[in-house]
Amino acid sequence: MIKLNNIKKSYHSKKGAVEALSGIDLDIKQGEIFGIIGYSGAGKSTLIRLINMLETPTAGSLIVDGKEMSSLSKNKLREARKDIGMIFQHFNLLWSRTVKGNISFPLEVAGVKKAERKKRVQELIKIVGLEGRENAYPSQLSGGQKQRVGIARALANNPKVLLCDEATSALDPKTTNAILDLLVDINKKLGLTIVMITHEMHVVKKICHKVAVLDKGQIVEEGNVLDVFQQPKMAITKEFVKQVTQNDEAEEAVDFVKQAHPSGTIVKLSFKGDSANRPVVNELFQQQLVEINILEGNISQTQNGAFGTLTLLIDGATHEVKRAIDFIENQGVGVEVIQDAAQLIS
């Protein structure tokens, strides 16, 4: 659905050319929810503005739904943009219009007849859950309701692609989750391709199928969300993954146990997919001649399946501890030895 080949974007400044994006390659399939995550200044907003041609690339090829966007005439580009909806961090609503008026606006611009507009607006109000708020103005709405209006407006012309530029950054956690649930529902019901620009790994974890990590204008890591969570390769990706997998209190507890039990072996288990639902620890208790204490753990759901971690303190004879670790690995569970007093791993 969206294909970027060697996309570059440079800006001119008094000090010379500034390269915002350098050699971006992405292939986003139809119906995917694709996350692009990076810190401020990484080039995320520039990238999403390129996809709907609010910015033009300095070099490279940009194809959306089979159309090379940069080669289209103004009229054809205007038509192609109807297939691309966009929602924003700060909603960008028309404050002098009601909910109905805001949703109707892109239909008016497109020249849709009044009766058809009215019908479509009511459909969209139902889709985004704003029944009863049709005649309210933006100043009378909560942040979540405003974003629902923004989503409905973006869907007005039945787009094939929905671009979300930090769409939940201005919302509280509970409202963020509600909006993300709505986007997942829309993705499933309408088959929309959704591109999520964000700096929050929670957003990626909750709704994205795939993720690309953007740093200093370059894609430094990309893959299925579950794979990236389990085995992040780059330092910046590990930082993002820690946003949703690291518990400071749990880390402090592990550090305390390290000092209190210097002769014990501490291992961190990583579960993915089917292995997250297996009673591995229970089997370990039953089959291995070691003492086991659970120090901390968590499990998260992604669109690709479950992902979890569990930290254990294992005490026992060296060869029994080694056997226990081998048993865990043979169950398809990742093992990271945090403290190895017996130097089991060379």
Side-chain angles (χ1 to χ4, degrees):
M1 176 58 75
I2 302 172
K3 194 171 184 64
L4 284 72
N5 294 313
N6 198 29
I7 287 290
K8 299 180 181 180
K9 178 63 180 179
S10 298
Y11 297 97
H12 293 287
S13 69
K14 293 179 179 179
K15 296 182 179 180
V18 176
E19 195 167 51
L21 297 172
S22 52
I24 299 293
D25 293 312
L26 281 178
D27 190 356
I28 302 173
K29 305 299 184 184
Q30 183 176 354
E32 281 184 339
I33 304 179
F34 196 103
I36 299 173
I37 191 166
Y39 291 119
S40 297
K44 305 187 303 296
S45 293
T46 298
L47 180 55
I48 203 167
R49 287 171 63 84
L50 284 172
I51 294 175
N52 64 2
M53 292 300 290
L54 292 176
E55 301 262 7
T56 55
T58 305
S61 171
L62 171 59
I63 299 171
V64 179
D65 193 26
K67 305 180 185 74
E68 172 55 72
M69 299 295 283
S70 59
S71 66
L72 297 178
S73 65
K74 288 185 178 180
N75 287 337
K76 288 186 176 180
L77 179 59
R78 192 177 299 113
E79 287 299 311
R81 280 187 177 140
K82 290 180 181 178
D83 288 332
I84 305 173
M86 190 163 181
I87 58 176
F88 306 88
Q89 178 180 1
H90 297 296
F91 321 124
N92 289 12
L93 302 182
L94 299 170
W95 293 85
S96 61
R97 285 188 172 226
T98 62
V99 168
K100 288 192 299 186
N102 269 280
I103 299 172
S104 178
F105 182 69
L107 297 170
E108 294 169 24
V109 172
V112 177
K113 293 181 179 179
K114 185 175 181 179
E116 189 177 342
R117 285 203 313 267
K118 185 176 180 180
K119 180 182 177 182
R120 180 60 177 158
V121 168
Q122 286 305 126
E123 289 174 353
L124 290 164
I125 284 172
K126 185 175 181 180
I127 287 173
V128 301
L130 284 174
E131 297 99 325
R133 304 296 286 162
E134 296 92 334
N135 297 311
Y137 287 89
S139 61
Q140 300 170 310
L141 302 175
S142 67
Q145 290 171 332
K146 290 173 188 172
Q147 195 56 284
R148 288 173 186 269
V149 177
I151 293 170
R153 182 185 57 188
L155 297 177
N157 285 310
N158 292 299
K160 297 177 181 178
V161 174
L162 182 63
L163 306 179
C164 306
D165 189 4
E166 300 279 10
T168 59
S169 295
L171 305 175
D172 63 76
K174 184 177 179 180
T175 305
T176 290
N177 283 331
I179 293 298
L180 294 178
D181 287 339
L182 174 60
L183 291 173
V184 170
D185 188 54
I186 288 168
N187 168 257
K188 290 178 179 177
K189 287 182 178 177
L190 305 182
L192 272 180
T193 303
I194 300 178
V195 182
M196 296 288 302
I197 295 291
T198 184
H199 65 274
E200 299 173 299
M201 203 61 173
H202 165 73
V203 171
V204 172
K205 182 202 76 172
K206 187 171 177 65
I207 76 167
C208 296
H209 302 112
K210 292 184 179 178
V211 61
V213 182
L214 190 64
D215 186 34
K216 298 177 182 177
Q218 296 182 317
I219 300 293
V220 297
E221 192 162 350
E222 180 186 354
N224 290 328
V225 169
L226 201 55
D227 294 333
V228 170
F229 265 74
Q230 189 183 38
Q231 294 180 315
K233 296 179 177 65
M234 305 300 291
I236 186 173
T237 312
K238 292 176 182 178
E239 288 178 10
F240 279 122
V241 169
K242 282 182 180 179
Q243 288 182 6
V244 291
T245 61
Q246 181 171 289
N247 182 309
D248 290 339
E249 291 182 358
E251 292 293 318
E252 289 175 6
V254 172
D255 289 340
F256 174 79
V257 172
K258 281 183 182 180
Q259 297 174 16
H261 297 271
S263 63
T265 298
I266 299 176
V267 295
K268 186 173 186 177
L269 313 187
S270 297
F271 302 84
K272 182 178 76 168
D274 292 340
S275 69
N277 299 314
R278 290 196 56 194
V280 174
V281 175
N282 184 50
E283 293 174 15
L284 191 63
F285 274 116
Q286 294 177 2
Q287 298 184 28
Q288 306 302 317
L289 300 176
V290 292
E291 291 185 5
I292 300 168
N293 287 295
I294 297 174
L295 304 183
E296 64 90 21
N298 68 77
I299 189 165
S300 299
Q301 292 293 330
T302 74
Q303 291 296 308
N304 303 111
F307 167 81
T309 61
L310 187 65
T311 305
L312 306 177
L313 170 66
I314 306 177
D315 270 321
T318 299
H319 68 281
E320 294 294 348
V321 175
K322 177 79 165 64
R323 279 185 59 196
I325 292 176
D326 290 342
F327 171 81
I328 296 168
E329 291 179 328
N330 289 335
Q331 308 310 304
V333 176
V335 179
E336 176 190 355
V337 179
I338 297 174
Q339 174 175 285
D340 187 9
Q343 297 185 339
L344 295 171
I345 307 298
S346 59

